[in-house]
Amino acid sequence: MDFFRIMMTASSSPEGNPESASVPLDATGPQQAAVLAIFRQHWENARHIKNERMSFTNIYAIVSGGVLSIVHGVQGQVVLEVSILLFLCFFSVIGLLTSLRLKAELEECLRNIEKTVSLLGLQQLMPVVDSRGALTRYPKFRWLFPVFYLISTTGFITLLIYRLLAVQGW
């Protein structure tokens, strides 16, 4: 029986709950290798997503800081200032959309890991990934990046509007 048949069998368990079904731990050969490979792939993908998110945020911070220093240096050249601020607004929106996509991908990976662990009956051996209960009522760290980009986007749009209003003499 391959992993996908196990998943289908578990999802069609009598109780209708995939957590109520479990895979025998004495599975051998190709089945065991397949489950291990899929499990490992999900963890590596989750790690890759986290690294990708941090890399993009580092690039975003460097580019934004550099561009803001250019804005400071070109004071008085309205067209150039507005163009640079418009670039920062678009760059921030791209960061926001990217962070939302990465957040969704990470949550999907973690759900697949949780499903695999549940099917194997090994929940007690896994670290807290997406736990529930009184001790975990804090905001999820996964929302930090989208909120950061939302605040940055709002700030750059505000700066752009302020600059446009200053040019018109408001």
Side-chain angles (χ1 to χ4, degrees):
M1 184 188 300
D2 63 354
F3 181 75
F4 298 108
R5 195 171 311 147
I6 293 169
M7 296 291 272
M8 296 306 292
T9 304
S11 63
S12 61
S13 64
E15 296 84 11
N17 183 1
E19 285 79 20
S20 65
S22 64
V23 176
L25 295 177
D26 58 352
T28 59
Q31 178 184 5
Q32 188 178 30
V35 171
L36 181 61
I38 291 169
F39 183 75
R40 183 178 298 137
Q41 189 64 33
H42 284 305
W43 270 116
E44 288 175 3
N45 193 24
R47 186 178 310 119
H48 172 73
I49 291 168
K50 290 179 178 185
N51 288 337
E52 186 178 2
R53 186 173 59 182
M54 286 304 299
S55 296
F56 185 81
T57 302
N58 287 338
I59 292 168
Y60 175 83
I62 291 168
V63 170
S64 296
V67 170
L68 282 174
S69 68
I70 292 172
V71 168
H72 182 70
V74 297
Q75 287 181 346
Q77 299 176 15
V78 178
V79 174
L80 190 54
E81 280 184 62
V82 170
S83 299
I84 290 172
L85 289 174
L86 197 57
F87 165 76
L88 283 175
C89 291
F90 285 129
F91 192 49
S92 294
V93 169
I94 290 169
L96 176 63
L97 296 175
T98 301
S99 69
L100 289 172
R101 179 190 59 85
L102 291 174
K103 179 188 169 301
E105 286 181 16
L106 180 61
E107 287 177 348
E108 180 67 22
C109 275
L110 294 177
R111 271 193 301 275
N112 288 334
I113 290 168
E114 185 177 326
K115 186 184 238 181
T116 304
V117 168
S118 177
L119 287 171
L120 294 172
L122 299 173
Q123 297 92 330
Q124 69 277 6
L125 299 177
M126 290 303 298
V128 175
V129 173
D130 209 9
S131 64
R132 295 158 184 83
L135 297 177
T136 58
R137 288 194 181 125
Y138 53 87
K140 296 207 181 299
F141 187 71
R142 292 173 223 152
W143 280 107
L144 182 65
F145 291 92
V147 168
F148 167 74
Y149 287 110
L150 182 63
I151 291 170
S152 297
T153 302
T154 304
F156 288 135
I157 289 172
T158 303
L159 194 58
L160 178 64
I161 291 170
Y162 174 77
R163 185 62 189 127
L164 290 172
L165 291 177
V167 168
Q168 294 179 358
W170 283 72

